[in-house]
Amino acid sequence: MRKRAVAVLGTAAVLSGMVTAVPSAAGTAAPAAAPRPAAERAPVKWTDCSTDDYPTLQCATVKSPLDHDRPGGRQITLALSRVPHTAKKSQGPLLVNPGGPGGSGRSLAGFVARSLPKDVASQYDVIGFDPRGVGASKPALDCKPGYFDPVRPDSLPAGGGAERANLARVKDFAESCGKKHGSLLRYMDSASAAEDMDVIRQQLGAERINYLGYSYGTYLGAVYAKLHPERVRRAVFDSVVDPSGVWYENNLGQNVAFESRQQAFTAWIAKHDATYGLGGNPAEVEAKWTRMRQALARKPAGGKVGAAELEDTFLPGGYYNGYWPDLAKAFAAYANDGKTAPLVDAYQKFGAVDAAGDNGYSVYTAVQCRDAGWPRDWNQWRHDMWRSHAKAPFITWNNAWYNAPCAFWPTRSLQPTDVTNAKLPPVLLFQATEDAATPYEGAVSLHHRLRGSSLVVEEGGANHGVTLAGNKCLDRHLADYLDTGKVPRSAGVADAICDPLPEPEPAKATRAASANGPEKAPASRGSQAASLHDLLGHDS
């Protein structure tokens, strides 16, 4: 999301009130016609695009059909990155995806290659890619630049005015996207992006690919595996989208899960009352949060952080608890001392949307709205969201408006791909039990649908994206699988269980110092986990 974590997927039953699926002649998610054979394609031309962090990184572009049913028609450009293998024997390409939909994967290649054990990473060409419409791929979508510029209407439609203002915004976004990108929107879907992956495979000259996908990337990988099971060598899915709820139902499930993470955050603040001074029990902290939100709805901090922007700022804490110390300091500065600058700084760091975010959100809506049916009757949304809000007030309405353009989207919706698969080699799944963006039940659901898959669980873990984030137990299973292809096996639902990482320590600052904002980032900011979560963003 903003980027917001939205990894949702699947084999959803179409809800009543949703658009009926387009018949196959109009373009369903069925397997598309094969592009030109690899032999007919020019070899990929890699150029140096190294950075200080990734000194061996290379970049390239490849062409892919806009419409895979017409491979000789209009072509689009896909942007790739690569860290080449250095071992004498290669295990082939390892494609990596950070989720979204709408996340750029080019930087993820360098991170993965650097974070895996050297003897494992050296065996692979680690390939990052910007999916169609994203980042450096062309054409790139940007439906309405500045759509998230502050200050937006209050997300909570307690009065008719707020609801009308938000409805006008989302309708305008959907209309703008149709006018600006109407020729592309019919081809912005997960199945088309998966076919692009097979074009990449062909142009790399590989018979099969290896794959590591986070969040929405788990769904994209599962769709690819359904369309091309014979082309999958190894696949890792981390923080798994539920294939039974794509996408509307999964978003409703997210609301409840994020409420639990917000409660964990307030409990953590209460536990560290000596540092933050916001109350010694979660109820006190929650009461101050509510008063802060109400005050910002009346008078936005610095003219930038209203109620909606406050939610945007604190939502990333539900994805990754390493952000908690900074968020708590900004909260304390405003609630205890009336200081607005730390809150504005936190918004700029965690909630504000730049041009890349505009692009990511445009692709997010385009893919989700096209992938599966959404209610087209706003009365159904209103009814469902107020029911959800009664249980999960923290993010329900903010999440609703984030996805609401799908109620007015200018293209019809496809049937979700049934990702059930009995033709794959063993697939390895990773999941934290308290993940809010992709709740645990989704991993179990996909585990049952992929025959022969193995599920590794971080019991009590709450972050979204858990491998290569500092948990040695999880990372050992990942490295062993990529090295040997072997997966853990157990008679239970989980084939292996790992303990979670500890909760973060509070920022080392007094209450008075916190009023002036953080003097320096907490130690975790430069850590591997923080780097991963910055790459994954908060959509998927």
Side-chain angles (χ1 to χ4, degrees):
M1 299 166 161
R2 250 114 291 208
K3 305 181 51 173
R4 166 182 285 145
V6 103
V8 233
L9 60 281
T11 317
V14 179
L15 299 178
S16 59
M18 289 186 175
V19 180
T20 55
V22 181
S24 58
T28 67
R36 285 188 300 161
E40 298 179 24
R41 295 177 176 274
V44 178
K45 295 181 180 179
W46 296 101
T47 60
D48 178 84
C49 59
S50 58
T51 67
D52 290 342
D53 288 334
Y54 310 128
T56 61
L57 194 68
Q58 301 172 337
C59 292
T61 59
V62 299
K63 296 292 186 181
S64 186
L66 174 64
D67 180 357
H68 285 280
D69 287 330
R70 296 173 177 82
R74 180 181 175 184
Q75 302 290 297
I76 60 174
T77 300
L78 304 174
L80 312 182
S81 65
R82 177 179 74 165
V83 176
H85 75 279
T86 57
K88 291 183 178 180
K89 184 176 180 180
S90 171
Q91 296 212 46
L94 172 64
L95 274 64
V96 297
N97 180 273
S104 168
R106 287 177 300 142
S107 294
L108 186 60
F111 174 85
V112 169
R114 186 183 66 186
S115 301
L116 286 169
K118 289 182 179 180
D119 62 330
V120 176
S122 66
Q123 301 175 53
Y124 288 93
D125 292 321
V126 184
I127 307 292
F129 62 100
D130 285 355
R132 56 175 52 204
V134 176
S137 292
K138 303 298 180 187
L141 270 63
D142 192 345
C143 297
K144 194 170 182 63
Y147 179 67
F148 286 103
D149 286 353
V151 172
R152 308 197 310 276
D154 191 340
S155 60
L156 184 63
E163 181 172 4
R164 287 192 295 271
N166 278 297
L167 276 173
R169 285 187 73 252
V170 300
K171 289 178 180 178
D172 183 57
F173 182 87
E175 182 179 353
S176 296
C177 212
K179 289 180 178 179
K180 193 171 182 180
H181 300 298
S183 64
L184 302 175
L185 294 184
R186 290 183 59 240
Y187 309 104
M188 293 299 301
D189 58 88
S190 294
S192 293
E195 292 294 356
D196 290 339
M197 288 172 55
D198 205 57
V199 171
I200 294 171
R201 175 195 64 77
Q202 292 182 52
Q203 299 213 175
L204 293 173
E207 292 189 5
R208 295 186 295 167
I209 64 168
N210 308 281
Y211 181 80
L212 168 60
Y214 292 89
S215 193
Y216 163 79
T218 66
Y219 182 55
L220 179 61
V223 172
Y224 178 84
K226 182 69 173 187
L227 300 179
H228 300 285
E230 75 286 356
R231 300 301 184 184
V232 177
R233 182 175 179 270
R234 291 174 192 163
V236 179
F237 298 155
D238 183 327
S239 302
V240 181
V241 170
D242 188 346
S244 68
V246 182
W247 292 104
Y248 184 72
E249 289 181 331
N250 278 354
N251 276 280
L252 290 173
Q254 277 188 338
N255 297 338
V256 176
F258 274 106
E259 188 70 23
S260 294
R261 296 312 302 147
Q262 175 71 356
Q263 291 171 358
F265 176 49
T266 56
W268 180 85
I269 291 174
K271 178 180 175 181
H272 298 291
D273 185 45
T275 299
Y276 300 112
L278 288 166
N281 66 69
E284 290 181 75
V285 179
E286 185 64 33
K288 289 188 177 181
W289 165 269
T290 300
R291 288 196 292 272
M292 176 171 65
R293 190 192 185 285
Q294 292 170 341
L296 292 171
R298 294 189 299 269
K299 184 180 179 180
K304 291 184 177 181
V305 185
E309 289 74 26
L310 179 73
E311 293 163 345
D312 297 348
T313 302
F314 281 76
L315 178 68
Y319 289 95
Y320 172 50
N321 60 16
Y323 297 145
W324 285 2
D326 272 2
L327 293 172
K329 289 177 74 174
F331 181 5
Y334 182 88
N336 293 333
D337 303 298
K339 301 293 185 180
T340 60
L343 198 58
V344 173
D345 289 346
Y347 164 70
Q348 295 289 358
K349 185 173 189 65
F350 298 114
V353 176
D354 58 12
D358 284 339
N359 166 244
Y361 178 70
S362 297
V363 174
Y364 170 88
T365 49
V367 173
Q368 290 224 339
C369 298
R370 179 65 168 159
D371 260 0
W374 293 76
R376 293 286 181 144
D377 180 356
W378 183 250
N379 289 325
Q380 182 177 341
W381 286 73
R382 183 188 295 115
H383 174 265
D384 291 344
M385 297 312 152
W386 279 119
R387 287 184 62 190
S388 178
H389 178 81
K391 299 178 291 185
F394 168 56
I395 207 64
T396 288
W397 274 105
N398 189 299
N399 198 20
W401 296 121
Y402 196 82
N403 292 282
C406 291
F408 311 100
W409 204 244
T411 64
R412 300 181 70 191
S413 298
L414 303 173
Q415 291 265 14
T417 301
D418 179 358
V419 298
T420 303
N421 208 322
K423 299 179 180 180
L424 298 174
V427 172
L428 188 58
L429 284 62
F430 290 91
Q431 184 68 40
T433 56
E434 310 306 312
D435 182 359
T438 53
Y440 172 74
E441 294 76 14
V444 175
S445 178
L446 185 61
H447 180 33
H448 290 326
R449 285 169 167 79
L450 301 182
R451 192 174 73 182
S453 64
S454 183
L455 174 62
V456 179
V457 171
E458 187 183 36
E459 185 70 43
N463 291 330
H464 181 68
V466 294
T467 59
L468 305 183
N471 188 313
K472 293 181 180 179
C473 174
L474 297 173
D475 290 351
R476 184 174 64 253
H477 286 293
L478 173 64
D480 287 348
Y481 175 68
L482 291 177
D483 188 26
T484 68
K486 295 180 181 178
V487 297
R489 295 294 185 193
S490 173
V493 173
D495 294 283
I497 296 176
C498 294
D499 292 332
L501 295 173
E503 288 187 337
E505 292 297 319
K508 301 296 184 182
T510 64
R511 176 181 161 184
S514 74
N516 297 315
E519 291 81 15
K520 63 179 182 178
S524 64
R525 179 56 44 77
S527 71
Q528 183 170 309
S531 297
L532 172 65
H533 288 91
D534 288 346
L535 287 169
L536 299 186
H538 316 116
D539 293 328
S540 33

